[in-house]
Amino acid sequence: MPESYRPHLRKDDAPQRTSSQSVVSNTAPGRARVSEVLAGKDVTLYTISPEQTLHRAVEMLRDHRIGALLVTDIDAKLVGILSERDIVRKLADAPGRTLPHRVEEVMTRAVETCAPDDLLRDVLQRMTDGRFRHMPVLEEQHLTGLVTIGDLVHFRLRQLELEALHMKQLIVG
């Protein structure tokens, strides 16, 4: 019998039911990308040249209240990263004589980077495995941002708050 001839049934009057558990709701956090984090934060890039002194770097870190500077050459190409941790290591090696050193003597040259389309869970795993807290974002070899472990945690907490709100709405109605 064709569907158009089906008689009206009681279930036709029932409101459509929803489910709090679905493939989308259970996998959405795993599909979040770096670009989503960058969209919700100030993407000002604080850079320093390799020839600058650690004194200048420390002033920039203090003034901008940040934990790392991107080290770029004259063409704005990423050549390293200088973190508070790098400075502390140098301070331990040369107490009282640290600030006159050049950034290029202390910076981390082997910089781990990511792309805007990278999955957050992969970036977070790389940061955790490598024991670092800052990762520059490159798009076609151009700096487009910097994500920190704090950015990723804050983003995930906002996601969890939104999920909790959705659950509350489903329960309360």
Side-chain angles (χ1 to χ4, degrees), residues 9 25 29 31-32 42 51 71 80-82 96 98 100 107 109 123 135 139 160 166:
L9 304 172
S25 69
R31 294 184 292 128
D42 177 14
E51 298 82 22
V71 185
I81 190 167
L82 181 71
T98 304
M107 70 183 190
R109 294 178 187 275
V123 172
M135 187 179 284
E139 188 168 19
L160 289 171
H166 287 287

Side-chain angles (χ1 to χ4, degrees), residues 12-84:
D12 294 335
D13 296 330
Q16 190 163 8
R17 299 185 66 169
T18 61
S19 173
S20 63
Q21 297 293 315
S22 69
V23 172
V24 173
S25 69
N26 285 332
T27 60
R31 294 184 292 128
R33 304 207 179 266
V34 170
S35 57
E36 295 175 56
V37 173
L38 293 177
K41 70 174 272 187
D42 177 14
V43 290
T44 303
L45 297 176
Y46 296 101
T47 64
I48 193 165
S49 69
E51 298 82 22
Q52 292 282 348
T53 64
L54 288 183
H55 184 265
R56 178 66 187 127
V58 169
E59 289 176 333
M60 290 178 69
L61 292 170
R62 177 199 64 205
D63 294 347
H64 298 296
R65 301 178 67 174
I66 55 176
L69 293 166
L70 299 169
V71 185
T72 57
D73 64 14
I74 197 162
D75 298 321
K77 182 181 174 213
L78 182 68
V79 295
I81 190 167
L82 181 71
S83 69
E84 294 167 323

Side-chain angles (χ1 to χ4, degrees), residues 5 8 25-26 32 45 50 52 70-72 82 86 100-101 105 107 115 117 125 128 132 143 152 166-167:
Y5 293 108
H8 183 79
S25 69
N26 285 332
L45 297 176
Q52 292 282 348
L70 299 169
V71 185
T72 57
L82 181 71
D86 295 323
H101 285 87
E105 298 172 44
M107 70 183 190
D117 288 336
Q125 188 64 56
T128 302
F132 54 89
L143 277 168
L152 302 182
H166 287 287
M167 292 295 287

Side-chain angles (χ1 to χ4, degrees), residues 156-168:
R156 184 61 184 128
L157 286 175
R158 282 196 330 258
Q159 281 185 320
L160 289 171
E161 288 172 356
L162 186 59
E163 289 172 24
L165 178 63
H166 287 287
M167 292 295 287
K168 183 178 179 181

Side-chain angles (χ1 to χ4, degrees), residues 106-164:
V106 181
M107 70 183 190
T108 301
R109 294 178 187 275
V111 183
E112 290 273 339
T113 64
C114 62
D117 288 336
D118 287 354
L119 294 173
L120 288 186
R121 68 169 183 243
D122 296 339
V123 172
L124 186 56
Q125 188 64 56
R126 288 173 54 202
M127 292 172 95
T128 302
D129 292 345
R131 299 182 56 86
F132 54 89
R133 298 173 299 194
H134 305 87
M135 187 179 284
V137 182
L138 295 178
E139 188 168 19
E140 298 178 15
Q141 301 303 317
H142 297 327
L143 277 168
T144 59
L146 177 74
V147 291
T148 68
I149 211 128
D151 295 333
L152 302 182
V153 169
H154 182 69
F155 181 84
R156 184 61 184 128
L157 286 175
R158 282 196 330 258
Q159 281 185 320
L160 289 171
E161 288 172 356
L162 186 59
E163 289 172 24

